[in-house]
Amino acid sequence: MNAILITTKATSVIAQNMKTGKLFVLSGPSGVGKGTLRQHALNNAPNLKYSISCTTRKPREGETDGVEYRFISHAKFQEYISCELFLEYAHVHEDYYGTLKADVMNDLESGHDVLLEIDVQGALQVKEKMPEAVLIFVAPPSVEVLTQRLTGRGTENAESLNVRLNNAIGELSYKDKYDYVIVNDDLESACEELRRIIL
Ligand code: 5GP
């Protein structure tokens, strides 16, 4: 009996001392500079890990499976949904995107901080399941600036550009639900702001 008591106490002491990581969720419209901010944060926060999402979108030129995304078929994505493997998932623009639960939990449990770069629908699902997650929204200085940036990026055709711009306007209306809003007016200041939030 005593042994059981001692074991239980020891387990709870270990559980208390085990430091789990923090979960950060970065969102914001296409073209706002999330990718650059994310890379800067990863370069400057050694304990931070990026969770690679699954998507049904086709890889863009220069993208590699398992690096930017895990590029999977619609059938596989549906299978993952049925098996409840996603922490969150959403239909964004014209494709499915999702974060694997196991990836995030393993990293958090091993003491790493984890960064997700996901859309607003996904971010709100995460906040509901894990209220301790820190939600960070990256906003453009104005819709006009965003339009110029997205057009200048040259990665989208006219139709995809329109979809992304319309979605951007919708996404901006959710920014008040986030813990922090970073206005990406000056890239260097925005990077510093994100670094401070994370560290
Ligand atoms: P892109 O196709 O430009 O790489 O990404 C399009 C959008 O999908 C971006 O807003 C990005 O943040 C979002 N996204 C990427 N991965 C995920 C994910 O795992 N879940 C959700 N909900 N959105 C994601």
Side-chain angles (χ1 to χ4, degrees), residues 41 108 111 190:
L108 289 176

Side-chain angles (χ1 to χ4, degrees), residues 26-30 34 50 53-54 57 60 63 69 88-90 92-93 97-99 117-123 125 153 156 164 171:
L26 194 65
S27 304
S30 260
K34 280 171 300 177
Y50 178 62
S53 299
C54 297
R57 164 165 88 59
R60 295 189 185 119
E63 287 183 333
Y69 287 103
E88 64 72 36
Y89 69 91
V92 189
H93 307 318
Y97 295 81
T99 307
E117 191 212 302
I118 62 178
D119 88 313
V120 292
Q121 309 166 70
Q125 290 173 43
R153 199 166 78 166
E156 316 303 324
R164 278 162 194 264
E171 290 209 336

Side-chain angles (χ1 to χ4, degrees), residues 59-101:
R60 295 189 185 119
E61 214 179 304
E63 287 183 333
T64 310
D65 185 33
V67 178
E68 288 81 10
Y69 287 103
R70 293 188 176 99
F71 295 99
I72 63 175
S73 64
H74 274 90
K76 193 98 199 145
F77 203 98
Q78 288 305 327
E79 187 188 318
Y80 286 3
I81 294 175
S82 311
C83 298
E84 300 186 2
L85 298 188
F86 288 121
L87 171 64
E88 64 72 36
Y89 69 91
H91 191 238
V92 189
H93 307 318
E94 284 155 328
D95 289 288
Y96 283 95
Y97 295 81
T99 307
L100 289 174
K101 221 185 287 182

Side-chain angles (χ1 to χ4, degrees), residues 138-188:
V138 187
S142 67
V143 173
E144 289 72 28
V145 171
L146 183 70
T147 311
Q148 284 165 14
R149 285 186 192 164
L150 206 49
T151 315
R153 199 166 78 166
T155 51
E156 316 303 324
N157 59 33
E159 193 187 335
S160 164
L161 193 67
N162 265 337
V163 172
R164 278 162 194 264
L165 276 174
N166 282 332
N167 287 353
I169 292 161
E171 290 209 336
L172 283 168
S173 65
Y174 284 92
K175 70 179 193 309
D176 294 344
K177 299 200 180 293
Y178 280 64
D179 299 304
Y180 295 93
V181 177
I182 299 176
V183 178
N184 188 6
D185 197 353
D186 170 61
L187 187 60
E188 210 175 304

